[in-house]
Amino acid sequence: SYELTQPPSLSVSPGQTARITCSGDALPKQYAYWYQQKPGQAPVLVIHKDSGRPSGIPERFSGSSSGTTVTLTISGVQAEDEADYYCQSADSSDTFSVFGGGTRLTVL
Amino acid sequence: EVQLVQSGAEVKKPGESLKISCKVSGYSITSYWLGWVRQMPGKGLEWMGIIYPGDADTRYSPSFQGQVIISVDKSISTAYLQWNSLKASDTAMYYCARPDSSGPQGGFDFWGQGTMVTVSS
């Protein structure tokens, strides 16, 4: 079955830049999506179609894609950005989607 | 305003059946796919499957194929997730979510509040 691989954790200081990667064999041909989830809450879509930012999402959130890796970048990290982040994308045959294992972002 | 409202928490015994619901409002249910996502306690998100209420076209993750049934009743704008025989390992929070206009593999831009299912003897 298809898998997306994320680092389990990342720690950054306030004001720094956080870069969270997601790797998968089908990413060159499939869009990726990124979610932020805080404890006790439903996930929130923060990046769509690799690099689009939904309405209401701060400009410090951005996405990029290069080959089999997509990256979520949070510029000028704030304390409120501490959360779990998940990537999502489809398999190469476009039959189903999967989520990455998630990355816990800690703001020091 | 788009809303997805899920049914309440359930406590069931192993072997029992269960059907949880997701009622949508603020848009036509037949215009967008509707998916289900599992989150086991302390764990990550898992894409279970998705249905297009317009024609009931349903796609399942290989991990969930044969384990659950996704269905819809267009007349009451409600989607369902069903188990015929629950296991303790089905204990989790279940979210319904609506993808954007990209189709069945799109990102979920609207989410229900979640339904906690606890399976314990």
Side-chain angles (χ1 to χ4, degrees), chain B residues 12-34:
Chain B
K12 307 291 280 187
K13 291 182 171 19
E16 291 185 332
S17 62
L18 176 65
K19 195 173 190 177
I20 63 174
S21 66
C22 172
K23 183 173 178 60
V24 311
S25 61
Y27 75 99
S28 172
I29 193 173
T30 56
S31 299
Y32 290 84
W33 293 78
L34 263 178

Side-chain angles (χ1 to χ4, degrees), chain A residues 56-89:
Chain A
I57 301 302
E59 290 185 7
R60 63 181 182 274
F61 288 87
S62 63
S64 61
S65 176
S66 179
T68 58
T69 300
V70 293
T71 303
L72 171 68
T73 300
I74 310 172
S75 304
V77 167
Q78 300 181 6
E80 67 198 54
D81 299 330
E82 186 164 283
D84 294 326
Y85 291 86
Y86 297 90
C87 59
Q88 177 207 340
S89 188

